[in-house]
Amino acid sequence: MRSTVYEEYTKTSHFENASGVRAICSDCHVPHGNWLLMLWFKTKATKELVYHFAGVVDTKEKFEAERLAMAQRVWKLMEETDSRECRSCHKRPAMVLADQANRARVQHEDAVKEGKTCIDCHKGIAHKPIHKELEKEQEQAGEQSFTL
């Protein structure tokens, strides 16, 4: 993790920003407020250790080969939970849409109207965007690609 996803995260606004607020891995990948759910997620996360020691993702090359599948599992979970972890910091009612760039404001307004959740548009926001792989897959499925 240190040489891949953590290194990427250090180059994002979730790591360094004007407000000085820093998200850590568990802020985005572990539910808050319910210790049983948190324990369940942390227990499930140990399978990543199994993948590493089983040789599935024990090199950077193998990790990159599995990256899209791993990301899609996280994105699916975030979609199912209405981006619960995003919303623990980012509150829609607290967003001042008028202060956002016009494109972002319009997209956030449309997302509310269409019932979208954060991850529908913000895939790859804190890690290496894997747009090329995702766009290829979406083209094959005839889907429209997302924007950051």
Side-chain angles (χ1 to χ4, degrees):
M1 294 292 178
R2 190 154 263 321
S3 65
T4 54
V5 292
Y6 181 80
E7 183 65 30
E8 297 160 4
Y9 148 78
T10 64
K11 295 174 177 68
T12 71
S13 61
H14 281 95
F15 182 81
E16 189 171 55
N17 54 68
S19 69
V21 174
R22 179 174 290 169
I24 60 172
C25 302
S26 60
D27 289 332
C28 300
H29 293 282
V30 178
H32 306 271
N34 179 328
W35 69 271
L36 282 174
L37 192 56
M38 181 174 60
L39 184 61
W40 172 250
F41 269 70
K42 287 186 177 241
T43 302
K44 280 178 44 176
T46 60
K47 75 178 176 184
E48 293 177 12
L49 292 172
V50 173
Y51 289 160
H52 176 79
F53 290 115
V56 176
V57 292
D58 61 335
T59 67
K60 216 170 190 176
E61 294 77 23
K62 289 178 182 178
F63 179 88
E64 288 300 327
E66 291 295 319
R67 181 187 280 266
L68 180 58
M70 291 185 295
Q72 287 176 315
R73 285 193 294 273
V74 172
W75 296 338
K76 181 179 184 283
L77 181 61
M78 292 181 97
E79 288 169 359
E80 290 169 355
T81 63
D82 193 24
S83 298
R84 172 188 51 217
E85 285 70 41
C86 300
R87 294 176 193 286
S88 68
C89 296
H90 301 277
K91 314 276 189 226
R92 266 197 184 135
M95 287 183 180
V96 182
L97 296 180
D99 289 348
Q100 295 180 356
N102 189 52
R103 180 176 174 205
R105 180 184 50 74
V106 169
Q107 287 177 327
H108 282 128
E109 289 170 345
D110 289 347
V112 170
K113 289 177 196 168
E114 296 169 16
K116 290 187 175 182
T117 189
C118 308
I119 202 65
D120 289 326
C121 300
H122 294 283
K123 292 176 174 86
I125 196 76
H127 297 293
K128 174 185 171 184
I130 51 176
H131 298 106
K132 289 184 172 86
E133 292 91 345
L134 185 60
E135 287 171 0
K136 280 184 222 171
E137 189 172 282
Q138 288 174 329
E139 284 174 13
Q140 291 171 352
E143 296 176 13
Q144 189 175 7
S145 64
F146 67 90
T147 59
L148 284 178

